[in-house]
Short mmCIF file of all heavy atoms in Angstrom, two decimals:
data_model
loop_
_atom_site.label_atom_id
_atom_site.label_comp_id
_atom_site.label_asym_id
_atom_site.label_seq_id
_atom_site.Cartn_x
_atom_site.Cartn_y
_atom_site.Cartn_z
N ASP A 127 1.56 2.61 9.35
CA ASP A 127 1.34 2.72 10.80
C ASP A 127 0.75 1.44 11.32
O ASP A 127 0.63 0.45 10.58
CB ASP A 127 0.44 3.94 11.10
CG ASP A 127 -0.93 3.81 10.48
OD1 ASP A 127 -1.32 2.73 10.05
OD2 ASP A 127 -1.66 4.85 10.43
N SER A 128 0.36 1.44 12.59
CA SER A 128 -0.16 0.19 13.21
C SER A 128 -1.45 -0.27 12.60
O SER A 128 -1.81 -1.43 12.72
CB SER A 128 -0.30 0.39 14.72
OG SER A 128 -1.18 1.52 14.94
N ALA A 129 -2.19 0.63 11.90
CA ALA A 129 -3.43 0.25 11.28
C ALA A 129 -3.21 -0.05 9.78
O ALA A 129 -4.21 -0.16 9.04
CB ALA A 129 -4.46 1.38 11.40
N GLU A 130 -1.98 -0.20 9.38
CA GLU A 130 -1.58 -0.49 8.00
C GLU A 130 -2.01 0.62 7.03
O GLU A 130 -2.31 0.37 5.84
CB GLU A 130 -2.15 -1.84 7.55
CG GLU A 130 -1.61 -3.01 8.32
CD GLU A 130 -2.24 -4.32 7.96
OE1 GLU A 130 -3.17 -4.33 7.16
OE2 GLU A 130 -1.79 -5.35 8.45
N ARG A 131 -2.00 1.87 7.50
CA ARG A 131 -2.22 3.04 6.66
C ARG A 131 -0.86 3.54 6.18
O ARG A 131 0.10 3.54 6.91
CB ARG A 131 -2.97 4.13 7.37
CG ARG A 131 -4.48 3.82 7.63
CD ARG A 131 -5.17 5.00 8.23
NE ARG A 131 -4.61 5.36 9.52
CZ ARG A 131 -5.16 5.06 10.66
NH1 ARG A 131 -6.26 4.38 10.70
NH2 ARG A 131 -4.56 5.43 11.82
N ILE A 132 -0.88 4.07 4.93
CA ILE A 132 0.38 4.59 4.36
C ILE A 132 0.66 5.98 4.93
O ILE A 132 -0.16 6.86 4.80
CB ILE A 132 0.26 4.68 2.83
CG1 ILE A 132 0.01 3.28 2.23
CG2 ILE A 132 1.52 5.28 2.21
CD1 ILE A 132 -0.26 3.29 0.74
N ILE A 133 1.83 6.12 5.59
CA ILE A 133 2.15 7.41 6.14
C ILE A 133 3.36 8.04 5.40
O ILE A 133 3.58 9.24 5.56
CB ILE A 133 2.48 7.33 7.67
CG1 ILE A 133 3.62 6.37 7.91
CG2 ILE A 133 1.24 6.89 8.41
CD1 ILE A 133 4.04 6.30 9.41
N LEU A 134 4.04 7.25 4.57
CA LEU A 134 5.13 7.80 3.81
C LEU A 134 5.50 6.79 2.75
O LEU A 134 5.54 5.62 2.99
CB LEU A 134 6.34 8.09 4.69
CG LEU A 134 7.54 8.79 4.04
CD1 LEU A 134 7.17 10.20 3.63
CD2 LEU A 134 8.74 8.86 5.01
N CYS A 135 5.76 7.26 1.50
CA CYS A 135 6.25 6.36 0.47
C CYS A 135 7.03 7.20 -0.56
O CYS A 135 6.78 8.39 -0.71
CB CYS A 135 5.14 5.57 -0.21
SG CYS A 135 4.05 6.52 -1.26
N ASN A 136 8.00 6.53 -1.20
CA ASN A 136 8.78 7.28 -2.20
C ASN A 136 8.23 6.98 -3.61
O ASN A 136 7.33 6.18 -3.82
CB ASN A 136 10.25 6.95 -2.11
CG ASN A 136 10.55 5.49 -2.43
OD1 ASN A 136 9.66 4.69 -2.60
ND2 ASN A 136 11.85 5.13 -2.51
N GLN A 137 8.83 7.65 -4.60
CA GLN A 137 8.30 7.53 -5.99
C GLN A 137 8.54 6.14 -6.55
O GLN A 137 7.72 5.66 -7.34
CB GLN A 137 8.96 8.58 -6.88
CG GLN A 137 8.35 8.68 -8.25
CD GLN A 137 6.89 9.00 -8.26
OE1 GLN A 137 6.45 9.92 -7.55
NE2 GLN A 137 6.08 8.26 -9.00
N ALA A 138 9.60 5.47 -6.11
CA ALA A 138 9.88 4.15 -6.64
C ALA A 138 8.79 3.15 -6.28
O ALA A 138 8.33 2.41 -7.15
CB ALA A 138 11.25 3.64 -6.07
N VAL A 139 8.31 3.18 -5.05
CA VAL A 139 7.24 2.26 -4.67
C VAL A 139 5.95 2.62 -5.39
O VAL A 139 5.14 1.77 -5.78
CB VAL A 139 7.05 2.26 -3.14
CG1 VAL A 139 6.25 3.43 -2.65
CG2 VAL A 139 6.31 0.94 -2.72
N ALA A 140 5.75 3.93 -5.64
CA ALA A 140 4.58 4.35 -6.39
C ALA A 140 4.64 3.84 -7.80
O ALA A 140 3.60 3.42 -8.37
CB ALA A 140 4.46 5.89 -6.39
N ASP A 141 5.83 3.84 -8.40
CA ASP A 141 5.98 3.29 -9.76
C ASP A 141 5.78 1.76 -9.76
O ASP A 141 5.17 1.20 -10.70
CB ASP A 141 7.34 3.66 -10.33
CG ASP A 141 7.51 5.15 -10.53
OD1 ASP A 141 6.48 5.83 -10.65
OD2 ASP A 141 8.64 5.60 -10.57
N HIS A 142 6.31 1.09 -8.78
CA HIS A 142 6.25 -0.34 -8.72
C HIS A 142 4.81 -0.84 -8.55
O HIS A 142 4.35 -1.79 -9.20
CB HIS A 142 7.06 -0.90 -7.56
CG HIS A 142 8.57 -0.73 -7.75
ND1 HIS A 142 9.48 -0.84 -6.72
CD2 HIS A 142 9.28 -0.38 -8.89
CE1 HIS A 142 10.69 -0.62 -7.21
NE2 HIS A 142 10.58 -0.36 -8.49
N LEU A 143 4.05 -0.18 -7.64
CA LEU A 143 2.74 -0.66 -7.26
C LEU A 143 1.59 0.21 -7.85
O LEU A 143 0.43 0.03 -7.45
CB LEU A 143 2.61 -0.70 -5.74
CG LEU A 143 3.69 -1.57 -5.02
CD1 LEU A 143 3.46 -1.51 -3.52
CD2 LEU A 143 3.67 -3.02 -5.54
N ARG A 144 1.95 1.14 -8.71
CA ARG A 144 0.98 2.03 -9.38
C ARG A 144 0.15 2.87 -8.35
O ARG A 144 -1.03 2.96 -8.43
CB ARG A 144 0.00 1.18 -10.20
CG ARG A 144 0.67 0.07 -11.03
CD ARG A 144 1.31 0.59 -12.26
NE ARG A 144 2.17 -0.50 -12.84
CZ ARG A 144 1.74 -1.58 -13.47
NH1 ARG A 144 0.46 -1.77 -13.69
NH2 ARG A 144 2.60 -2.41 -13.99
N PHE A 145 0.91 3.43 -7.34
CA PHE A 145 0.28 4.27 -6.36
C PHE A 145 0.45 5.75 -6.81
O PHE A 145 1.26 6.07 -7.68
CB PHE A 145 0.94 4.14 -5.02
CG PHE A 145 0.64 2.83 -4.29
CD1 PHE A 145 1.25 2.50 -3.14
CD2 PHE A 145 -0.30 1.97 -4.84
CE1 PHE A 145 0.97 1.34 -2.46
CE2 PHE A 145 -0.60 0.77 -4.20
CZ PHE A 145 0.04 0.46 -3.04
N ASP A 146 -0.29 6.63 -6.11
CA ASP A 146 -0.12 8.02 -6.27
C ASP A 146 0.45 8.57 -4.93
O ASP A 146 -0.16 8.42 -3.88
CB ASP A 146 -1.44 8.75 -6.58
CG ASP A 146 -1.25 10.25 -6.84
OD1 ASP A 146 -0.77 10.95 -5.98
OD2 ASP A 146 -1.61 10.66 -8.01
N VAL A 147 1.67 9.10 -5.00
CA VAL A 147 2.37 9.47 -3.73
C VAL A 147 1.58 10.41 -2.86
O VAL A 147 1.56 10.22 -1.66
CB VAL A 147 3.75 10.15 -4.12
CG1 VAL A 147 4.46 10.64 -2.88
CG2 VAL A 147 4.64 9.13 -4.84
N LYS A 148 0.89 11.35 -3.44
CA LYS A 148 0.11 12.33 -2.63
C LYS A 148 -1.29 11.87 -2.34
O LYS A 148 -1.77 11.90 -1.21
CB LYS A 148 0.08 13.68 -3.36
CG LYS A 148 1.44 14.33 -3.48
CD LYS A 148 1.35 15.67 -4.19
CE LYS A 148 2.71 16.33 -4.35
NZ LYS A 148 2.62 17.66 -5.05
N ARG A 149 -1.94 11.37 -3.37
CA ARG A 149 -3.36 10.99 -3.15
C ARG A 149 -3.54 9.83 -2.23
O ARG A 149 -4.54 9.74 -1.47
CB ARG A 149 -3.97 10.65 -4.54
CG ARG A 149 -5.44 10.34 -4.52
CD ARG A 149 -5.87 9.72 -5.86
NE ARG A 149 -5.18 8.44 -6.06
CZ ARG A 149 -5.07 7.87 -7.23
NH1 ARG A 149 -5.52 8.47 -8.34
NH2 ARG A 149 -4.46 6.71 -7.36
N ASP A 150 -2.63 8.85 -2.26
CA ASP A 150 -2.83 7.61 -1.52
C ASP A 150 -2.27 7.65 -0.08
O ASP A 150 -2.36 6.66 0.62
CB ASP A 150 -2.24 6.43 -2.26
CG ASP A 150 -2.98 6.15 -3.57
OD1 ASP A 150 -4.19 6.44 -3.59
OD2 ASP A 150 -2.39 5.66 -4.53
N LEU A 151 -1.68 8.76 0.34
CA LEU A 151 -1.22 8.85 1.74
C LEU A 151 -2.44 8.77 2.65
O LEU A 151 -3.47 9.40 2.44
CB LEU A 151 -0.51 10.17 1.94
CG LEU A 151 0.90 10.32 1.38
CD1 LEU A 151 1.49 11.65 1.68
CD2 LEU A 151 1.82 9.19 1.85
N GLY A 152 -2.29 7.98 3.69
CA GLY A 152 -3.37 7.75 4.62
C GLY A 152 -4.30 6.67 4.24
O GLY A 152 -5.21 6.28 5.04
N GLN A 153 -4.18 6.09 3.09
CA GLN A 153 -5.02 4.98 2.66
C GLN A 153 -4.55 3.67 3.25
O GLN A 153 -3.37 3.47 3.53
CB GLN A 153 -5.06 4.87 1.11
CG GLN A 153 -5.60 6.12 0.42
CD GLN A 153 -7.06 6.27 0.67
OE1 GLN A 153 -7.84 5.30 0.72
NE2 GLN A 153 -7.49 7.53 0.87
N HIS A 154 -5.46 2.74 3.40
CA HIS A 154 -5.12 1.41 3.88
C HIS A 154 -4.47 0.63 2.71
O HIS A 154 -5.02 0.59 1.59
CB HIS A 154 -6.34 0.66 4.38
CG HIS A 154 -6.87 1.15 5.70
ND1 HIS A 154 -6.39 0.71 6.90
CD2 HIS A 154 -7.80 2.12 5.97
CE1 HIS A 154 -7.01 1.34 7.88
NE2 HIS A 154 -7.87 2.19 7.35
N LEU A 155 -3.35 0.02 3.02
CA LEU A 155 -2.59 -0.68 1.96
C LEU A 155 -3.43 -1.81 1.35
O LEU A 155 -3.36 -2.06 0.16
CB LEU A 155 -1.30 -1.25 2.54
CG LEU A 155 -0.36 -1.99 1.56
CD1 LEU A 155 0.06 -1.03 0.43
CD2 LEU A 155 0.82 -2.54 2.27
N ARG A 156 -4.24 -2.46 2.16
CA ARG A 156 -5.03 -3.58 1.65
C ARG A 156 -6.02 -3.12 0.58
O ARG A 156 -6.41 -3.92 -0.28
CB ARG A 156 -5.80 -4.23 2.80
CG ARG A 156 -4.95 -4.95 3.82
CD ARG A 156 -5.74 -5.39 5.00
NE ARG A 156 -4.92 -6.01 6.03
CZ ARG A 156 -4.66 -7.31 6.11
NH1 ARG A 156 -5.16 -8.13 5.20
NH2 ARG A 156 -3.89 -7.77 7.07
N ASN A 157 -6.45 -1.88 0.69
CA ASN A 157 -7.41 -1.40 -0.30
C ASN A 157 -6.75 -1.06 -1.63
O ASN A 157 -7.44 -0.95 -2.68
CB ASN A 157 -8.11 -0.12 0.21
CG ASN A 157 -8.95 -0.42 1.47
OD1 ASN A 157 -9.35 -1.57 1.70
ND2 ASN A 157 -9.20 0.58 2.28
N LEU A 158 -5.46 -0.85 -1.62
CA LEU A 158 -4.72 -0.47 -2.82
C LEU A 158 -4.05 -1.61 -3.53
O LEU A 158 -3.90 -1.64 -4.72
CB LEU A 158 -3.70 0.63 -2.51
CG LEU A 158 -4.26 1.91 -1.85
CD1 LEU A 158 -3.11 2.85 -1.47
CD2 LEU A 158 -5.17 2.63 -2.87
N LEU A 159 -3.59 -2.57 -2.73
CA LEU A 159 -2.84 -3.73 -3.25
C LEU A 159 -3.59 -4.99 -2.83
O LEU A 159 -3.48 -5.41 -1.67
CB LEU A 159 -1.44 -3.73 -2.79
CG LEU A 159 -0.48 -4.77 -3.37
CD1 LEU A 159 -0.36 -4.57 -4.87
CD2 LEU A 159 0.91 -4.66 -2.73
N ARG A 160 -4.35 -5.59 -3.77
CA ARG A 160 -5.22 -6.71 -3.42
C ARG A 160 -4.76 -8.04 -3.95
O ARG A 160 -5.53 -8.96 -4.08
CB ARG A 160 -6.64 -6.40 -3.89
CG ARG A 160 -7.23 -5.14 -3.30
CD ARG A 160 -8.62 -4.84 -3.79
NE ARG A 160 -9.19 -3.61 -3.21
CZ ARG A 160 -10.37 -3.18 -3.45
NH1 ARG A 160 -11.17 -3.84 -4.24
NH2 ARG A 160 -10.77 -2.04 -2.89
N ASP A 161 -3.50 -8.09 -4.35
CA ASP A 161 -2.98 -9.36 -4.86
C ASP A 161 -3.10 -10.48 -3.80
O ASP A 161 -2.66 -10.26 -2.64
CB ASP A 161 -1.49 -9.18 -5.23
CG ASP A 161 -0.91 -10.41 -5.88
OD1 ASP A 161 -0.48 -11.33 -5.14
OD2 ASP A 161 -0.93 -10.51 -7.10
N PRO A 162 -3.70 -11.62 -4.10
CA PRO A 162 -3.90 -12.67 -3.06
C PRO A 162 -2.61 -13.10 -2.42
O PRO A 162 -2.62 -13.34 -1.18
CB PRO A 162 -4.54 -13.79 -3.88
CG PRO A 162 -5.17 -13.14 -5.05
CD PRO A 162 -4.27 -11.97 -5.40
N ALA A 163 -1.55 -13.23 -3.16
CA ALA A 163 -0.28 -13.71 -2.55
C ALA A 163 0.20 -12.67 -1.52
O ALA A 163 0.70 -13.02 -0.45
CB ALA A 163 0.76 -13.90 -3.66
N PHE A 164 0.08 -11.36 -1.83
CA PHE A 164 0.53 -10.36 -0.90
C PHE A 164 -0.39 -10.30 0.33
O PHE A 164 0.09 -10.12 1.46
CB PHE A 164 0.62 -8.98 -1.57
CG PHE A 164 0.97 -7.89 -0.64
CD1 PHE A 164 2.28 -7.81 -0.15
CD2 PHE A 164 0.04 -6.98 -0.18
CE1 PHE A 164 2.65 -6.79 0.74
CE2 PHE A 164 0.37 -5.99 0.67
CZ PHE A 164 1.67 -5.88 1.16
N ILE A 165 -1.69 -10.39 0.12
CA ILE A 165 -2.59 -10.35 1.28
C ILE A 165 -2.35 -11.51 2.20
O ILE A 165 -2.34 -11.35 3.44
CB ILE A 165 -4.08 -10.41 0.76
CG1 ILE A 165 -4.40 -9.12 -0.06
CG2 ILE A 165 -5.03 -10.53 1.91
CD1 ILE A 165 -4.22 -7.85 0.72
N ALA A 166 -2.11 -12.69 1.69
CA ALA A 166 -1.75 -13.83 2.52
C ALA A 166 -0.44 -13.58 3.24
O ALA A 166 -0.33 -13.91 4.41
CB ALA A 166 -1.63 -15.12 1.66
N TYR A 167 0.52 -12.97 2.58
CA TYR A 167 1.79 -12.67 3.19
C TYR A 167 1.60 -11.57 4.31
O TYR A 167 2.16 -11.75 5.41
CB TYR A 167 2.73 -12.12 2.13
CG TYR A 167 4.07 -11.63 2.59
CD1 TYR A 167 5.07 -12.51 2.93
CD2 TYR A 167 4.35 -10.27 2.67
CE1 TYR A 167 6.34 -12.06 3.34
CE2 TYR A 167 5.57 -9.80 3.04
CZ TYR A 167 6.60 -10.68 3.43
OH TYR A 167 7.81 -10.26 3.82
N LEU A 168 0.74 -10.61 4.07
CA LEU A 168 0.50 -9.56 5.01
C LEU A 168 -0.23 -10.10 6.26
O LEU A 168 0.00 -9.70 7.38
CB LEU A 168 -0.34 -8.45 4.38
CG LEU A 168 -0.57 -7.16 5.15
CD1 LEU A 168 0.72 -6.49 5.54
CD2 LEU A 168 -1.45 -6.19 4.34
N ASN A 169 -1.13 -11.05 6.06
CA ASN A 169 -1.87 -11.66 7.14
C ASN A 169 -1.01 -12.59 8.02
O ASN A 169 -1.35 -12.86 9.18
CB ASN A 169 -3.07 -12.44 6.64
CG ASN A 169 -4.14 -11.54 6.06
OD1 ASN A 169 -4.24 -10.38 6.46
ND2 ASN A 169 -4.94 -12.02 5.15
N GLY A 170 0.07 -13.07 7.44
CA GLY A 170 0.93 -13.97 8.18
C GLY A 170 1.84 -13.23 9.16
O GLY A 170 1.73 -12.01 9.38
N SER A 171 2.70 -13.98 9.75
CA SER A 171 3.65 -13.37 10.75
C SER A 171 5.09 -13.59 10.36
O SER A 171 5.97 -13.05 11.06
CB SER A 171 3.35 -13.93 12.12
OG SER A 171 3.51 -15.37 12.11
#
């Protein structure tokens, strides 16, 4: 969503990024994926 909270994800992304499909819904993506390269990418435009 506009606040970068997870509102929907499939099992493939959960396997790729080690998420829990049910538990992590509503969580901020930045809190779950803290890789510096991705954070810099997310902060960019």
